[in-house]
Amino acid sequence: FLIDWINTTLKEEHIVVKSLEEDLYDGLVLHHLLENLGSLTLDVDKIALTEKKQRQKLSVILEAVAKCLQLGASQLKWSVESILTKDLLSTLHLLVAIAKHFEPNLPIPSGVQVETITIENTSRGLKTANAVEYITENKENLEAQSKDDAFDELFSHAPDKLDAVKKVFLQFVNQHVGKLGLNLKDIESQFSDGVILLLLIGQLEGYFLNLRDFFLTPASTVEMV
């Protein structure tokens, strides 16, 4: 997907990428890609033939990327050294970040992950560690996160609308627990002991909660818990 995206973007430049490891490490393609996508003018040579020049070029390019994406050093999943040494994982992270920033509507495959094995040479011999690296987020997780974010945003940016939301929830709760002869007026205080929550779940799921399993009128924190 990324190779096709790069080749489509740079078609007029007559640049064709065949391998992400072999064609991106020297900064040439990244240079053209950023100038094309972000209209960035980078103060570097178009072609860097020596490793020293390539390192300098990548340094300028990656610094521009971090600035555009507003990422701190600790947030970067790539480095000049990793791109220069043709590290595929770092290259993938870099390209996905660039694509998501400059073309957020691209249908990048979601939930892409790889298993990595890190090998460390210690005084006691080789030490290995397995981990799962996520290249792209899972869409279901993003959707769940966006739902959470909607409530966070409501609390922080639209507190004036909280009362309206509470009113809707109150109507919803009373619609169900009203069948038990109950009527709620305040969500915070009347939900705090857990009783209404249990009864609501019972009504929604259609089963009877045995009164011996919980305290209908809890008198202490222990009973509420």
Side-chain angles (χ1 to χ4, degrees):
F1 178 89
L2 290 171
I3 288 173
D4 289 343
W5 168 64
I6 293 170
N7 288 338
T8 301
T9 304
L10 300 181
K11 187 176 181 180
E12 293 183 4
E13 308 271 350
H14 304 292
I15 291 176
V16 178
V17 170
K18 293 182 179 179
S19 165
L20 295 181
E21 299 101 305
E22 296 297 330
D23 296 339
L24 272 83
Y25 78 95
D26 61 359
L28 175 67
V29 173
L30 289 172
H31 186 182
H32 282 272
L33 190 63
L34 286 172
E35 285 193 333
N36 194 290
L37 290 171
S39 301
L40 298 175
T41 303
L42 302 173
D43 187 20
V44 289
D45 296 331
K46 285 287 182 184
I47 299 175
L49 296 176
T50 66
E51 185 179 324
K52 183 180 178 182
K53 289 282 187 182
Q54 289 168 355
R55 194 182 298 274
Q56 289 174 343
K57 183 170 184 172
L58 279 172
S59 181
V60 173
I61 289 171
L62 297 185
E63 192 176 321
V65 170
K67 190 175 180 181
C68 279
L69 275 58
Q70 297 182 330
L71 295 174
S74 62
Q75 297 173 288
L76 301 178
K77 295 182 179 179
W78 57 83
S79 66
V80 171
E81 199 61 38
S82 64
I83 301 298
L84 194 60
T85 54
K86 305 178 184 180
D87 182 271
L88 179 59
L89 203 55
S90 296
T91 305
L92 287 172
H93 279 307
L94 174 62
L95 289 174
V96 169
I98 291 172
K100 284 172 63 179
H101 177 77
F102 291 106
E103 298 195 57
N105 293 324
L106 274 177
I108 301 175
S110 68
V112 179
Q113 62 188 59
V114 293
E115 185 177 351
T116 62
I117 303 173
T118 305
I119 303 174
E120 184 183 355
N121 194 2
T122 67
S123 57
R124 297 182 180 180
L126 293 179
K127 179 183 176 183
T128 62
N130 292 47
V132 174
E133 186 89 13
Y134 290 89
I135 307 298
T136 59
E137 296 97 335
N138 193 309
K139 282 183 180 177
E140 292 178 2
N141 292 343
L142 285 176
E143 287 171 3
Q145 185 180 351
S146 66
K147 289 176 184 176
D148 292 339
D149 289 345
F151 279 98
D152 291 338
E153 195 167 329
L154 183 67
F155 278 99
S156 57
H157 300 299
D160 54 310
K161 296 181 180 178
L162 276 177
D163 287 339
V165 173
K166 287 180 188 176
K167 187 176 180 181
V168 171
F169 281 132
L170 205 57
Q171 289 173 345
F172 165 75
V173 174
N174 282 329
Q175 179 184 345
H176 295 282
V177 300
K179 298 168 186 175
L180 301 173
L182 299 170
N183 182 52
L184 267 71
K185 293 183 179 178
D186 183 76
I187 284 183
E188 284 99 335
S189 63
Q190 291 181 281
F191 257 86
S192 63
D193 61 10
V195 175
I196 296 297
L197 185 58
L198 281 171
L199 297 176
L200 176 63
I201 292 170
Q203 286 297 302
L204 291 172
E205 292 295 323
Y207 59 76
F208 176 75
L209 286 159
N210 195 320
L211 297 179
R212 290 176 298 178
D213 293 340
F214 69 102
F215 297 90
L216 190 59
T217 54
S220 66
T221 303
V222 174
E223 291 181 355
M224 291 179 190
V225 173

